Amino acid sequence: MSVKEMLDHIRTLPEQLEYCLQLDYNDAVVLPKKDIKNVVVAGMGGSAIGGDVMRCSLGQEMPVPVINNRDYHLPSFVGKDSLVFTVSYSGNTEETLSCFREGLQREAQMVAITSGGQLESLARESQVSLIKIPSGVPPRAALGYLFTPLALMVEQVGLVQGIRNQVEETIGILKEMREELLALDPPEANPAWKIALDIQDCIPVIWAGGSILEVAAMRWKGQINENAKAPAYFNCFPELNHNEFTGLEGPADITRRVAVIVLQDELQNPGIARRIKTTNDMLKDRIKGFNFVSSRGNSIMARLFSLMYAGDFTSVYLAQLYNIDPVPVDIIEELKKRLKN
Ligand code: F6R
């Protein structure tokens, strides 16, 4: 049982951000800002989510669109004036390798982020900018390595400013939080353990308080799936008020097993806070219940990481409650093996 091993990985998240601040990004060959028309991040699973963190945290201030691409092909608009990041922790993910080849063919400005594998070899052969990150961590526990270079490189080409300060703020908040999230004496005082206990034997549904928080809800869901090997779903206010929440009016046998976790951020539109409160009032007697997690920090980057960090710990404590080893993802490995045959 390696709950401890996964906790050891996730406790290093702030150090991963620190490590990436020290890397040298000067060799990266990319167009200056005026020539970049769009930014695309191609990757899958744990390697893709850094791109979502970039879109949610920096997308609003960037003068060009940021697209997260989880597929074999790049969008048709990708060409010479696109900045394309291909991100694969192992370097062997077929969808990401396919996007890498396609981006090269279209002469896009390419950057590869990986710990090795075929992506490293291809990047070296084709003299594409390569950010090599440390190996030996499950991809989903390497978010610091997979996100920070993206943010620093879009700053380097001039698309955003002030990234180092935001990363430093994030590091401080994560270090503060991990003390609380690791403390288990008594366990009931630990907010992540408390949520894990509350959602045990239920279907967790994570709702982001505003679409800017989408990545945090997506991360909670993915971490619960992969660490606790349990189903989980996510959505965002206000959209969910136009469809998903009507499903919770349904058969009580099902809805009573739904445990909603709302990720909130006080800097969101006040309309969102009203919706969260009203939705809670309308549904609380129909479902298992609501848990609320609030963001911390000033920058949206720090606030997103604070929400995601609480989810990382909750997912591992849920694995512990289910007596599940959070580290291996055998079913993913088995699928990859079968697809190769
Ligand atoms: C997360 C995980 C998967 C992988 C995904 C892509 O820990 O195991 O979500 O991230 O299968 O593989 P990589 O990240 O190697 O490109």
Side-chain angles (χ1 to χ4, degrees):
M1 232 334 236
S2 25
V3 164
K4 182 178 175 311
E5 187 186 333
M6 186 52 92
L7 286 175
D8 284 345
H9 286 311
I10 63 180
R11 67 177 299 150
T12 67
L13 180 61
E15 282 73 22
Q16 293 179 18
L17 275 79
E18 272 170 353
Y19 174 93
C20 293
L21 280 179
Q22 312 309 323
L23 290 178
D24 180 8
Y25 300 93
N26 288 324
D27 290 343
V29 190
V30 285
L31 289 175
K33 171 186 171 181
K34 65 179 174 36
D35 295 327
I36 296 172
K37 300 285 185 297
N38 47 70
V39 177
V40 177
V41 186
M44 304 303 297
S47 290
I49 200 144
D52 296 281
V53 180
M54 179 165 85
R55 171 176 54 83
C56 290
S57 61
L58 307 175
Q60 282 190 334
E61 50 171 307
M62 280 172 55
V64 296
V66 180
I67 305 335
N68 302 114
N69 195 80
R70 290 175 163 87
D71 213 322
Y72 287 90
H73 296 289
L74 293 168
S76 56
F77 59 73
V78 169
K80 291 183 181 164
D81 46 16
S82 302
L83 172 55
V84 176
F85 293 98
T86 46
V87 189
S88 169
Y89 188 75
S90 64
N92 294 323
T93 297
E94 62 180 34
E95 300 93 318
T96 314
L97 291 169
S98 159
C99 288
F100 179 89
R101 294 193 179 95
E102 218 170 75
L104 265 189
Q105 263 167 17
R106 298 202 210 156
E107 297 176 54
Q109 302 300 305
M110 306 286 293
V111 180
I113 302 179
T114 184
S115 71
Q118 293 176 58
L119 186 57
E120 176 180 1
S121 315
L122 285 171
R124 290 195 191 280
E125 271 163 34
S126 39
Q127 295 181 330
V128 154
S129 307
L130 170 69
I131 310 283
K132 180 110 194 260
I133 53 176
S135 57
V137 181
R140 62 192 180 284
L143 179 60
Y145 297 137
L146 295 163
F147 160 72
T148 319
L150 298 174
L152 289 166
M153 289 193 68
V154 292
E155 177 176 51
Q156 188 187 285
V157 296
L159 290 171
V160 282
Q161 291 176 336
I163 295 300
R164 279 176 188 270
N165 289 344
Q166 295 179 38
V167 174
E168 272 155 17
E169 186 207 2
T170 305
I171 292 168
I173 286 177
L174 294 178
K175 283 187 174 172
E176 227 173 79
M177 284 181 72
R178 80 176 156 195
E179 297 310 314
E180 296 160 30
L181 294 169
L182 281 166
L184 286 171
D185 187 20
E188 301 72 40
N190 180 319
W193 179 266
K194 251 169 60 184
I195 297 179
L197 267 184
D198 198 64
I199 65 177
Q200 189 181 5
D201 299 325
C202 294
I203 299 169
V205 171
I206 301 101
W207 284 346
S211 48
I212 205 167
L213 305 183
E214 181 192 34
V215 64
M218 189 192 293
R219 171 79 175 174
W220 270 72
K221 170 213 162 349
Q223 291 291 76
I224 291 173
N225 295 152
E226 291 192 60
N227 290 337
K229 280 70 176 177
Y233 301 90
F234 81 96
N235 208 330
C236 299
F237 283 99
E239 173 65 14
L240 68 89
N241 279 154
H242 298 273
N243 38 60
E244 178 166 311
F245 94 133
T246 56
L248 296 175
E249 277 192 310
D253 289 353
I254 303 175
T255 60
R256 296 229 178 283
R257 303 200 65 163
V258 171
V260 170
I261 299 162
V262 179
L263 307 182
Q264 354 186 60
D265 178 51
E266 63 183 29
L267 298 181
Q268 292 311 300
N269 185 305
I272 298 278
R274 280 204 309 276
R275 283 176 181 274
I276 292 174
K277 183 179 176 319
T278 313
T279 306
N280 178 23
D281 292 345
M282 293 171 73
L283 291 182
K284 64 177 187 300
D285 298 329
R286 295 177 178 267
I287 64 171
K288 167 74 185 359
F290 280 81
N291 275 282
F292 296 90
V293 182
S294 296
S295 65
R296 299 191 198 176
N298 292 316
S299 61
I300 179 71
M301 183 190 294
R303 302 202 311 270
L304 286 174
F305 268 96
S306 70
L307 291 169
M308 292 190 289
Y309 214 30
D312 287 0
F313 282 90
T314 302
S315 68
V316 178
Y317 294 140
L318 189 60
Q320 186 170 346
L321 290 167
Y322 287 152
N323 209 17
I324 291 272
D325 186 340
V327 177
V329 279
D330 294 339
I331 195 166
I332 298 181
E333 300 310 327
E334 170 67 18
L335 178 99
K336 288 181 180 175
K337 216 162 65 201
R338 286 191 195 196
L339 292 175
K340 273 201 190 121
N341 295 330

